[in-house]
Amino acid sequence: MNADLEIVSSQAPALVVSVGARASYRFFEFFTANIRNPNTRRAYARAAVEFFDWLEAHDVTSIAAVESVHVAAYIEQLSKARSAPTAKLRWRRFGICSTGW
């Protein structure tokens, strides 16, 4: 395995790491190559990691096992735990709008 991939793998969420080094690399590549603004990059990465943490806490053990019901449950919990503007911001980061999927 390439040394760069090993470093990235050690920093990615466990569900991403479990898929392999290439998935870990692509996870970080998305945030570094596609999002130019460093503040936006950090905010989106934080939101993604929070979602992955939520998945793990709810016994989702594989990315392949993630379904729309998981996303819906996460959004529902997020809506109850955070202000409406904060929840909507998180939805947008996952490409979800309040009017549908």
Side-chain angles (χ1 to χ4, degrees), residues 20-94:
R22 184 74 182 146
S24 298
Y25 178 80
R26 295 286 295 150
F27 178 82
F28 283 102
E29 181 182 49
F30 170 79
F31 293 105
T32 58
N34 295 321
I35 303 172
R36 301 304 311 150
N37 183 293
N39 295 323
T40 302
R41 183 182 308 134
R42 278 190 297 278
Y44 278 40
R46 187 171 39 253
V49 169
E50 286 176 10
F51 180 62
F52 280 108
D53 289 346
W54 183 91
L55 289 169
E56 287 183 37
H58 289 82
D59 299 322
V60 177
T61 59
S62 164
I63 287 178
V66 178
E67 298 181 1
S68 60
V69 295
H70 295 111
V71 177
Y74 177 72
I75 290 171
E76 183 68 25
Q77 182 178 330
L78 189 63
S79 296
K80 291 178 182 177
R82 303 217 173 139
S83 70
T86 301
K88 285 181 182 178
L89 181 62
R90 291 285 197 266
W91 299 343
R92 285 189 203 116
R93 289 179 185 157
F94 287 111

